[in-house]
Amino acid sequence: MSQHPVQRILVTVAGHKVDEETVRLACRMASRGRSEAKEPAQLYAIHVIEVNRSLPLSAPVESQVERGEEILDSVERIASEYNLSIETEMVQARDTGPAIVGEADAWKATLIVMGLPYKRRFGEFNLGKTTPYVLKNAPCRVILFRERLED
């Protein structure tokens, strides 16, 4: 019987309503691994701050950093409800998609869990540019968790 390598689950959080459910999904998946592999999956949550091309990449955007810290704090609170530890990181980048893929690659993630708010653009459902980029370029499996359509 072969040992399954410990799952490494990267979860993305952007400050949308869907984030909480997305993190809970990742936590449940990590906990499930605990019973099978005796140890839970490793969890890593990232929040990407997009920096406008007119600014230097290192330009601190105070309000966004504060908001990012609040988002990551709530991720840690949710993980603690599941008795899981989670690594969190705020990343400043020009584009969110390449930042997520780069982090997943560097951290050797085996799975990316992304929440997807239900967005309409010109009346049509729209994936935006980040999700297609991650789906196309991620080095591992990707689970998309789309928020429920409000009635």
Side-chain angles (χ1 to χ4, degrees):
M1 192 169 105
S2 68
Q3 276 297 103
H4 291 290
V6 173
Q7 287 283 311
R8 295 173 65 84
I9 303 170
L10 182 146
V11 59
T12 65
V13 285
H16 299 299
K17 279 192 314 205
V18 73
D19 285 356
E20 183 180 340
E21 284 182 282
T22 307
V23 173
R24 289 186 184 285
L25 172 66
C27 287
R28 285 195 302 273
M29 294 174 78
S31 296
R32 202 178 64 211
R34 182 185 281 153
S35 57
E36 294 163 14
K38 303 285 185 270
E39 58 180 304
Q42 293 175 345
L43 287 169
Y44 180 40
I46 65 165
H47 173 69
V48 180
I49 295 175
E50 275 195 12
V51 180
N52 192 301
R53 296 202 183 281
S54 64
L55 298 170
L57 195 51
S58 60
V61 191
E62 251 353 276
S63 61
Q64 287 180 294
V65 169
E66 259 174 50
R67 175 94 178 99
E69 284 169 356
E70 287 170 15
I71 292 165
L72 293 174
D73 284 348
S74 71
V75 166
E76 288 172 357
R77 272 196 305 278
I78 294 166
S80 71
E81 290 176 26
Y82 290 83
N83 294 318
L84 295 168
S85 61
I86 189 163
E87 199 180 321
T88 60
E89 187 73 47
M90 201 170 338
V91 180
Q92 290 196 181
R94 297 288 182 214
D95 291 301
T96 303
I100 292 168
V101 169
E103 288 292 311
D105 207 21
W107 190 66
K108 300 192 177 4
T110 55
L111 175 68
I112 297 171
V113 180
M114 290 178 72
L116 186 65
Y118 192 92
K119 282 191 294 214
R120 285 182 182 272
R121 190 172 167 163
F122 308 120
E124 288 291 312
F125 173 67
N126 187 290
L127 282 176
K129 64 179 182 165
T130 300
T131 302
Y133 184 92
V134 173
L135 288 173
K136 185 176 178 189
N137 297 287
C140 57
R141 290 186 169 126
V142 178
I143 291 180
L144 279 185
F145 187 78
R146 198 208 81 196
E147 78 181 342
R148 203 168 68 82
L149 208 54
E150 295 302 320
D151 299 326

